[in-house]
Amino acid sequence: MNLVAVMRAFNKGHGKCDCGKCKCDQGWYGDACQYPTHCDLTKKKSNQMCKNSQDIICSNAGTCHCGRCKCDNSDGSGLVYGKFCECDDRECVDDETEEICGGHGKCYCGNCYCKAGWHGDKCEFQCDITPWESKRRCTSPDGKICSNRGTCVCGECTCHDVDPTGDWGDIHGDTCECDERDCRAVYDRYSDDFCSGHGQCNCGRCDCKAGWYGKKCEHPQSCTLSAEESIRKCQGSSDLPCSGRGKCECGKCTCYPPGDRRVYGKTCECDDRRCEDLDGVVCGGHGTCSCGRCVCERGWFGKLCQHPRKCNMTEEQSKNLCESADGILCSGKGSCHCGKCICSAEEWYISGEFCDCDDRDCDKHDGLICTGNGICSCGNCECWDGWNGNACEIWLGSEYP
């Protein structure tokens, strides 16, 4: 008999424990002395007392004895237990190793709770990243693990309340940061009445159609311009209204992020964030930014003023620093200057320290790489503050002022 049975015997108070076995008082029997030898209950009353919340007698995993369930443990394992035999720890046994939770976790009522670094229904999979890295990958923009709306397993969030009838559930996103329920005037999971019918839900926020405003596009807006005229005024020479970096209302653009002076212009056409490198340094510290383009100081050149015109190293020293892992100078897609690769201007999409990256691999939205809201870094979008998504297409920052 296992320790659980021993403890039950003490709790029931119908026997004494002698060297790990229960010696039952007269009138009681069972491993834990939990069953009376004589029953005053009718069979109907007894069965009623043995039904679980689904009205199933002993969960179909045992028999009813005088209003108490006797779980089916004929093999002596003791893995089936509970007041209504509702717990079956056989569900935790790994088919291959025959160990509970694969030896990498603990089982409670048929569910495995894995040790750090392991996951799976039976803790059969080992995570190839550290717990710290797993936590980092699952951290949402607001600093919460899976936005407090999901569970983190090996660096990936599994969001709660996933609706199997649609492409997404109500809650989705890499870190469960998107909650479509916020777009509905009255929440009904079977209703498609997003944004009061006057907008599109984008990661839990409403993008209102022209002529409407409000958190859920519930207020009509008085504007003398037609929707087409409004968009045309906001578009200017760009392919997208407000250059894809703002919100168009009655022919006027409000640029993202609100209050950020780096994004400006009548159609938000100027984005001085393009002058910054991944560390936030403007024009390499050797120039000034003008409407998203670097004007370099004397003696410097390059898109971000990162190259000095004079070089203090020999040509051989310079070439050694420009060789990629395969020994080819700048991957054959650029020239070497003072130990740094200058990628071919004819192939605009080539980038990287050794011209080994293809920016066409970065995700697009509305035809723009990283939606114009981030920097393509060797095939992955590095989004600016307030933006999220594979193509930086989701605005998660503050509301418009």
Side-chain angles (χ1 to χ4, degrees):
M1 185 175 63
N2 57 30
L3 180 60
V4 174
V6 175
M7 292 305 296
R8 286 177 188 150
F10 279 112
N11 290 335
K12 297 296 181 184
H14 303 306
K16 294 180 180 179
C17 184
D18 184 9
C19 200
K21 289 187 178 182
C22 284
K23 288 188 176 181
C24 301
D25 295 339
Q26 187 174 359
W28 294 88
Y29 75 102
D31 288 342
C33 305
Q34 69 270 46
Y35 306 115
T37 54
H38 176 72
C39 185
D40 294 327
L41 299 175
T42 63
K43 187 173 183 180
K44 183 178 180 180
K45 179 66 175 176
S46 175
N47 287 344
Q48 191 66 34
M49 292 173 66
C50 287
K51 287 182 179 180
N52 63 16
S53 57
Q54 285 79 40
D55 282 339
I56 300 173
I57 296 174
C58 299
S59 307
N60 285 337
T63 54
C64 185
H65 292 263
C66 200
R68 292 177 173 85
C69 286
K70 185 176 183 180
C71 302
D72 182 13
N73 283 302
S74 54
D75 57 0
S77 63
L79 294 178
V80 183
Y81 58 96
K83 183 178 180 180
F84 303 108
C85 304
E86 70 276 14
C87 297
D88 188 351
D89 285 358
R90 292 175 299 186
E91 296 291 331
C92 294
V93 177
D94 189 290
D95 296 331
E96 293 184 6
T97 64
E98 296 186 352
E99 290 184 278
I100 290 179
C101 301
H104 307 297
K106 292 184 178 181
C107 184
Y108 177 74
C109 204
N111 294 296
C112 282
Y113 293 83
C114 306
K115 295 177 181 177
W118 293 86
H119 65 104
D121 290 340
K122 297 177 182 177
C123 307
E124 67 271 37
F125 301 116
Q126 187 172 16
C127 192
D128 57 358
I129 59 176
T130 64
W132 180 88
E133 177 63 15
S134 175
K135 182 179 179 181
R136 187 190 71 80
R137 293 185 187 182
C138 288
T139 301
S140 57
D142 59 4
K144 299 173 182 175
I145 303 299
C146 299
S147 307
N148 286 347
R149 294 194 284 255
T151 53
C152 180
V153 177
C154 203
E156 294 186 2
C157 288
T158 302
C159 304
H160 300 322
D161 195 22
V162 174
D163 185 357
T165 62
D167 295 331
W168 284 330
D170 295 317
I171 299 170
H172 63 90
D174 290 341
T175 56
C176 307
E177 69 275 11
C178 301
D179 191 343
E180 305 300 295
R181 296 173 297 184
D182 293 338
C183 290
R184 294 182 172 128
V186 178
Y187 178 64
D188 177 0
R189 73 173 300 135
Y190 300 106
S191 168
D192 290 327
D193 185 23
F194 288 107
C195 305
S196 308
H198 305 300
Q200 183 176 351
C201 187
N202 185 5
C203 193
R205 295 194 177 205
C206 286
D207 289 332
C208 302
K209 294 177 182 177
W212 294 89
Y213 74 101
K215 192 172 182 180
K216 295 178 181 176
C217 306
E218 69 272 32
H219 302 299
Q221 187 178 53
S222 57
C223 179
T224 57
L225 300 176
S226 67
E228 292 77 15
E229 289 173 328
S230 176
I231 290 175
R232 191 161 52 247
K233 279 198 166 190
C234 288
Q235 192 164 329
S237 59
S238 173
D239 293 331
L240 295 170
C242 303
S243 308
R245 291 187 285 267
K247 186 175 184 179
C248 179
E249 292 180 321
C250 201
K252 293 185 178 181
C253 289
T254 303
C255 304
Y256 281 131
D260 191 336
R261 294 184 179 180
R262 293 175 299 175
V263 184
Y264 57 96
K266 188 176 180 181
T267 59
C268 307
E269 70 275 13
C270 295
D271 189 348
D272 287 355
R273 295 172 300 183
R274 294 187 175 277
C275 294
E276 299 177 4
D277 59 19
L278 290 175
D279 296 322
V281 179
V282 176
C283 299
H286 307 296
T288 56
C289 187
S290 175
C291 197
R293 292 178 179 269
C294 285
V295 180
C296 301
E297 296 173 354
R298 196 171 187 176
W300 294 87
F301 71 101
K303 188 177 179 181
L304 296 176
C305 306
Q306 70 272 43
H307 302 297
R309 293 195 179 276
K310 289 184 179 180
C311 185
N312 295 323
M313 61 177 68
T314 65
E315 187 174 349
E316 185 178 354
Q317 288 173 326
S318 176
K319 286 183 177 180
N320 286 338
L321 293 173
C322 288
E323 285 185 359
S324 52
D326 54 10
I328 300 175
L329 197 70
C330 299
S331 305
K333 299 175 182 177
S335 59
C336 182
H337 174 78
C338 204
K340 291 187 177 181
C341 288
I342 301 175
C343 303
S344 171
E346 294 177 2
E347 297 176 294
W348 60 268
Y349 46 84
I350 298 300
S351 64
E353 185 180 0
F354 300 104
C355 303
D356 51 347
C357 299
D358 190 333
D359 285 355
R360 292 175 299 182
D361 292 336
C362 274
D363 288 302
K364 295 182 181 180
H365 184 71
D366 286 332
L368 293 176
I369 290 175
C370 304
T371 326
N373 300 317
I375 298 174
C376 183
S377 176
C378 213
N380 293 298
C381 289
E382 298 282 346
C383 304
W384 285 312
D385 288 345
W387 293 94
N388 204 347
N390 291 335
C392 306
E393 75 279 19
I394 300 170
W395 171 249
L396 292 176
S398 60
E399 298 284 352
Y400 283 113

